[in-house]
Amino acid sequence: MAQPAQGPAAAEGPCSTPSDIADRDIADRASTADCHPVDEKLHPSRLVPAALQHIAAMYAGVVTPPLIIGQACGLDTVAQTRLIAAGLLIAGLATILQTLGVKGFVGNRLPFVNAASSAGIAPILAIAETNAKGDQLPAIYGAVMVAGVFCLAVGPFFGRLLRFFPPLVTGVVITLIGVTLMPVPVKWAQGGDETDPAFGNMKYLALAAFTLVVILLFQRFGRGFFKQVALLAGLFIGTLAAIPFGMADFTSVQTAPLAALPTPFASGAPVFQPAAILSLCIVMLVLMTESAAGMLALGEICERKTDGRTITRGLRTDGIATLVGPVFGGFPTSAFAQNVGVVSLTRVRSRYVVAVAGGALIVLGVFPVLGAVVNVVPMPVLGGAGIVLFGSIAVSGIRTLSEAGLDDSSNIILVAVALGAGIIPLAAPTFYAEFPAWAQTVLGSGISAGALVAVSLNLFFNHLGTRGSTAAALKSS
């Protein structure tokens, strides 16, 4: 695992470009020399485009849970818009709390995005199916709030268990994050909606491929600023190319309300049902595993060591957002792995970039008409960009594994079995259909299944029955 920078560069305090230096490039280098890149305050000409890339990467994922859940609960257009706006608002607040935080208490102070996770959609839909219309959202929100309390209670133990996550384990988990997310951009590249008769049409695939080519060209021939905004350029040019072919839909801009402030408990007071609570507490464990893995991944990418206290503060943010979110219409909150990919791809590691993106999400949540503008980007364009994003996450995991001692046969077996367990849900989605519901929730996520296997095998091979200290065991792995 990468070691934290020494001296002033390792400080967590804010740092900014000196105002008395005219040349911005020289100023940026001077700033970087005085502080860690995570704490660097970039010039607006670099900060704004970098923040826009994060917004473009996360927007579709942020609105997906409220969109699907709202449709399942039979909400009308107004209520559906309110639910999406609430999701954007909670994501923005959680992201700002995570990136800026309160030192020593909450927030991992990394370029880390928090929002409602798609991993919670399936169990939430199961809760909706067992309740009558009108009672669905109150039952869901009651279970989500208890899951938030559960996260706050259990979160500190995740930090203390960090010693059981050496590079051998984290490399597997980071690789699986990239691999298991790959079906998402593939679906986007085919049009996004599997019920659409045109799903998978060649025009969608061509637009996705065009977007990918634009990103590659900017990455290959761009210099400095233009290389850093390769992803944003691909999204913008891809959207422009889609307009003449009628593949960019502006209807959402015309119909979206100008402002939609969230109303506390607009769907009614929360209802606490034991079965629903148990289901979402299990889901919360999965989300905490994924969130901790995302923090470890960012620690590697940003070259700032992610210790137990950092993970505890990060998970505390997840718990607070998950507990408070349902008051305004939010759902279980966790890490957004696609934004880890943005950091890995652009190498812009400033947490203030992500904080600005969080502020933009708040604005999009309060003014849905602005969010609708971002929603104009066609799904195939997002798909072409997503292949680069999620693939870069897998590369980060592979890079970590290359430093984990794979010349040892036991480590090779560990990685092979853990990767296999993580890929099972992708290769055979119905593999766990006959398992108990709780086991399906845990094992059905390739990330959590692979993480559990990797941790267990690391204990078996490198801890149990071995002599010497834990530190020696970790070093051997």
Side-chain angles (χ1 to χ4, degrees), residues 82-467:
R82 185 171 60 235
L83 203 64
I84 293 174
L88 290 166
L89 179 65
I90 297 301
L93 292 172
T95 297
I96 290 177
L97 183 61
Q98 190 72 275
T99 52
L100 303 183
V102 178
K103 189 174 181 180
F105 176 67
V106 66
N108 57 32
R109 298 165 71 85
L110 291 169
F112 197 78
V113 173
N114 278 81
S117 172
S118 297
I121 292 177
I124 286 176
L125 293 182
I127 295 172
E129 291 176 0
T130 58
N131 286 272
K133 186 176 181 180
D135 298 331
Q136 298 165 317
L137 286 177
I140 291 169
Y141 289 143
V144 172
M145 293 179 74
V146 176
V149 175
F150 175 75
C151 179
L152 290 172
V154 176
F157 296 101
F158 268 71
R160 296 173 187 173
L161 293 174
L162 186 61
R163 65 183 185 273
F164 298 114
F165 289 82
L168 189 66
V169 174
T170 58
V172 169
V173 175
I174 296 168
T175 302
L176 283 174
I177 290 176
V179 171
T180 57
L181 284 174
M182 196 54 69
V184 176
V186 171
K187 180 180 176 181
W188 290 345
Q190 296 177 88
D193 185 4
E194 294 180 352
T195 62
D196 187 348
F199 181 76
N201 192 288
M202 199 63 195
K203 65 179 181 179
Y204 294 147
L205 300 180
L207 182 58
F210 173 76
T211 303
L212 177 58
V213 169
V214 171
I215 294 173
L216 294 176
L217 290 176
F218 268 80
Q219 192 69 28
R220 171 62 180 85
F221 298 107
R223 293 291 182 270
F225 169 79
F226 291 101
K227 190 170 186 176
Q228 286 187 346
V229 298
L231 182 69
L232 186 61
L235 292 170
F236 179 71
I237 295 175
T239 302
L240 289 180
I243 293 176
F245 300 97
M247 297 170 65
D249 187 3
F250 291 88
T251 304
S252 58
V253 178
Q254 300 169 354
T255 60
L258 179 62
L261 295 175
T263 303
F265 299 120
S267 302
V271 176
F272 302 97
Q273 300 176 349
I277 290 171
L278 177 61
S279 173
L280 286 193
C281 282
I282 294 174
V283 169
M284 203 65 221
L285 283 173
V286 175
L287 297 184
M288 290 168 71
T289 302
E290 295 180 357
S291 198
M295 286 182 248
L296 291 169
L298 264 182
E300 294 286 344
I301 294 168
C302 296
E303 298 179 353
R304 167 172 279 177
K305 184 177 180 181
T306 304
D307 56 19
R309 289 174 296 179
T310 302
I311 289 182
T312 297
R313 294 196 306 268
L315 293 178
R316 188 172 289 134
T317 306
D318 289 357
I320 292 173
T322 301
L323 172 60
V324 177
V327 175
F328 302 101
F331 299 105
T333 299
S334 182
F336 252 41
Q338 49 263 58
N339 292 87
V340 177
V342 174
V343 176
S344 176
L345 179 67
T346 64
R347 304 302 297 172
V348 177
R349 295 171 282 181
S350 172
R351 57 192 172 99
Y352 295 102
V353 168
V354 176
V356 170
L361 286 179
I362 295 176
V363 175
L364 293 174
V366 174
F367 298 97
V369 68
L370 298 178
V373 173
V374 181
N375 201 33
V376 169
V377 179
M379 281 291 180
V381 173
L382 289 174
I387 290 174
V388 178
L389 280 177
F390 302 147
S392 66
I393 299 174
V395 171
S396 296
I398 294 171
R399 185 171 58 237
T400 302
L401 284 174
S402 67
E403 304 171 358
L406 291 184
D407 53 340
D408 182 275
S409 60
S410 295
N411 290 346
I412 292 175
I413 293 296
L414 186 158
V415 173
V417 175
L419 287 177
I423 293 174
I424 284 175
L426 285 178
T430 60
F431 186 85
Y432 298 109
E434 299 300 321
F435 282 60
W438 65 267
Q440 292 184 41
T441 302
V442 175
L443 300 177
S445 166
I447 299 170
S448 59
L452 288 173
V453 171
V455 170
S456 300
L457 291 182
N458 180 58
L459 288 171
F460 177 70
F461 284 121
N462 299 314
H463 288 262
L464 298 180
T466 60
R467 295 181 178 181

